[in-house]
Amino acid sequence: MAAGRHACARKRLKRFTVTAQTLAQKLLAAAAGRDTARVGEILTCKVDLAMFHDSSGPRRLKPMLEELGTGLWDRSRVVLVMDHYVPEADDESRRIVRIARDWAREQALPHVYDSVGICHVVVPEHGHIRPGMFCVGGDSHSPTGGAFGAYMFGVGSTEMLGVVASGEIWMRVPETLMMRWNGRLNPGVTAKDMMLHMIGRMGMNGGRYQAVEFCGEAVRALSMQERMTLSNMSAELGAQAGLVAPDETTRHYLRQAGVADVDTQRWQSDPGAPAQWHDFDAAALEPQVAAPHSPANAAPVPAYGDTPVQVAYIGACTGAKLDDLRAAARILQGRTIAAGVRLMVAPASQRDQAAADAEGVLPALLRAGATLLPTSCGACSGYGGSIPEGANVIATTARNFKGRMGAATARVFLASPYTVAASAVAGRIADPREFLS
């Protein structure tokens, strides 16, 4: 009889023992009002934040909401950013932006950012994304929010309609891929190089709609904006979300964004949590370049060292934040771009542009011969006609698909701000380490 009681007690203990959870599991469990979540489980999650922009938002959501006869579930949890079609260059862009502005006024939205920068940079700048949140965005690079220890991913207009009407969305709990970067990056090597290397090694479907978590000594040493680059380009890895567990670097950034102290201890993957592990050596990583027409065509920069360039583009949410502009200025300070090369700089936000100006970073870029463009998505989304036909372009953007940046005959190479700046000086794809010695 006693043995039977002990056996029942062991069964009860096993049933109520909490298994080790990844950060992704913890975030989705919390969003579903649960203590734990199992991989493969279907959960209904409550949304903390819904973000969309002039291209993905009102012009599509407004007629659908009117047809349903419903309103927004919670205006305080909606953020609208005008960044794709600004500044308006033609009648179509003026129509799209006017719809967004009119709808924002009709709905009395409290969080609207008009022509002040790219959504994936502006939203974190204003403290909207914090550890533990569950967020959706109407853009494929919405995983940027994962850099803050939040679960954030991109959805299409139909899914966004359900979110803004109900405040909920169903989720299948994904497996987690742990990308562990050991050691430290060398000078001239950045988070962009880390991402291009991972995409080159694993392919654009390497994440298979799973959650990717970036960890290890090299990741912990990255600034917040560099971590945002990792999470941003998890989309190019094929992942649903790209996570970095929050720490003191996260807390410091959020304090500057006006957010009071946040809980970082809770939002960490447990030791022994189920995950696939992949190890990388940060100290051995060289600057990377991805050849046309895929981010997966990545190789160390010497492989493309004789390729001439006509356009160098420092822009986009993944390549024109303040840290990116600083990197470019380290190369361009006291130098001039090569004859026949056009260097374009489109800062990711007005806040970063102002800081770069105050630090002397922006003046250094302009003295070198750069042309300053508006703080918007610009050429990255094929808007503005900045990329000429037939040009070889080296860019800090996240994607180099054929025709994405406007000209279908252009050949776009992806690289870090260091490498783009070095190439603008050399007139060919160049190794930035040669300019930093």
Side-chain angles (χ1 to χ4, degrees):
M1 181 71 76
R5 285 198 300 271
H6 290 319
C8 289
R10 284 195 298 272
K11 289 180 181 178
R12 287 196 299 271
L13 180 61
K14 183 176 181 180
R15 186 165 64 246
F16 289 108
T17 298
V18 177
T19 57
Q21 300 272 287
T22 64
L23 174 57
Q25 289 174 283
K26 290 183 179 182
L27 291 168
L28 293 179
R34 303 266 298 274
D35 292 328
T36 61
R38 297 190 310 275
V39 172
E41 194 172 11
I42 305 296
L43 303 177
T44 299
C45 296
K46 293 189 178 300
V47 175
D48 294 309
L49 180 80
M51 180 277 293
F52 39 81
H53 47 62
D54 49 336
S55 180
S56 67
R59 65 170 173 156
R60 294 184 169 92
L61 293 174
K62 183 178 187 294
M64 292 192 291
L65 284 168
E66 290 174 348
E67 185 176 350
L68 283 178
T70 186
L72 301 177
W73 102 98
D74 187 342
R75 288 171 176 79
S76 69
R77 297 178 184 271
V78 171
V79 179
L80 170 62
V81 184
M82 267 69 95
D83 62 357
H84 273 59
Y85 288 93
V86 292
E88 305 96 297
D90 52 39
D91 288 342
E92 178 63 8
S93 60
R94 280 187 283 272
R95 183 188 70 84
I96 292 169
V97 174
R98 184 176 63 252
I99 291 171
R101 288 171 178 158
D102 289 348
W103 188 74
R105 283 191 295 270
E106 291 168 9
Q107 298 296 321
L109 296 183
H111 307 301
V112 179
Y113 301 99
D114 191 341
S115 307
V116 297
I118 303 171
C119 60
H120 309 299
V121 178
V122 170
V123 172
E125 277 182 350
H126 289 81
H128 289 292
I129 303 175
R130 302 178 296 280
M133 291 180 68
F134 178 80
C135 313
V136 299
D139 189 278
S140 60
H141 284 115
S142 296
T144 305
F148 295 85
Y151 201 97
M152 189 167 185
F153 59 104
V155 298
S157 297
T158 304
E159 286 179 301
M160 184 62 79
L161 173 66
V163 168
V164 298
S166 69
E168 297 181 343
I169 189 171
W170 68 266
M171 290 285 299
R172 180 183 182 276
V173 181
E175 297 179 2
T176 293
L177 302 182
M178 286 288 194
M179 304 298 197
R180 180 167 53 196
W181 281 86
N182 304 301
R184 293 289 187 100
L185 297 174
N186 288 308
V189 185
T190 70
K192 182 64 169 290
D193 299 300
M194 296 166 73
M195 279 310 308
L196 291 178
H197 178 71
M198 284 185 279
I199 299 165
R201 175 165 144 179
M202 303 187 69
M204 290 196 68
N205 291 317
R208 297 186 296 280
Y209 298 103
Q210 297 169 328
V212 171
E213 183 174 341
F214 305 101
C215 59
E217 181 185 358
V219 174
R220 288 295 178 206
L222 294 176
S223 69
M224 202 66 234
Q225 289 194 336
E226 283 283 83
R227 296 178 186 187
M228 289 164 65
T229 296
L230 291 182
S231 295
N232 178 293
M233 289 192 67
S234 62
E236 278 66 50
L237 199 57
Q240 182 184 61
L243 306 172
V244 179
D247 57 10
E248 186 54 38
T249 298
T250 320
R251 293 160 70 101
H252 176 71
Y253 180 98
L254 289 174
R255 281 195 295 269
Q256 291 185 319
V259 178
D261 208 15
V262 295
D263 179 11
T264 59
Q265 294 301 315
R266 178 182 177 187
W267 308 111
Q268 309 288 324
S269 288
D270 295 328
Q276 298 178 33
W277 287 83
H278 299 271
D279 282 281
F280 302 87
D281 184 356
L285 184 66
E286 295 183 86
Q288 302 286 300
V289 172
H293 295 284
S294 170
N297 294 336
V301 65
Y304 304 104
D306 294 326
T307 304
V309 296
Q310 291 80 47
V311 177
Y313 184 79
I314 297 173
C317 49
T318 192
K321 301 181 290 297
L322 180 57
D323 282 356
D324 301 314
L325 301 177
R326 287 168 174 163
R330 286 190 62 192
I331 300 292
L332 292 169
Q333 182 73 49
R335 295 187 172 100
T336 304
I337 62 175
V341 175
R342 185 183 182 198
L343 170 62
M344 296 179 290
V345 177
S349 75
Q350 287 190 0
R351 184 174 293 185
D352 278 352
Q353 178 175 321
D357 195 22
E359 291 181 11
V361 166
L362 188 58
L365 302 181
L366 297 177
R367 283 194 299 268
T371 299
L372 185 64
L373 300 181
T375 54
S376 64
C377 293
C380 179
S381 58
Y383 180 69
S386 302
I387 305 302
E389 295 285 350
N392 280 350
V393 182
I394 187 160
T396 62
T397 55
R399 292 173 181 161
N400 59 345
F401 304 150
K402 186 174 183 179
R404 174 177 168 84
M405 293 182 70
T409 59
R411 301 177 70 245
V412 180
F413 297 80
L414 303 180
S416 76
Y418 280 116
T419 302
V420 171
S423 302
V425 172
R428 56 174 176 77
I429 295 178
D431 191 327
R433 294 172 296 184
E434 299 172 9
F435 296 81
L436 292 172
S437 58

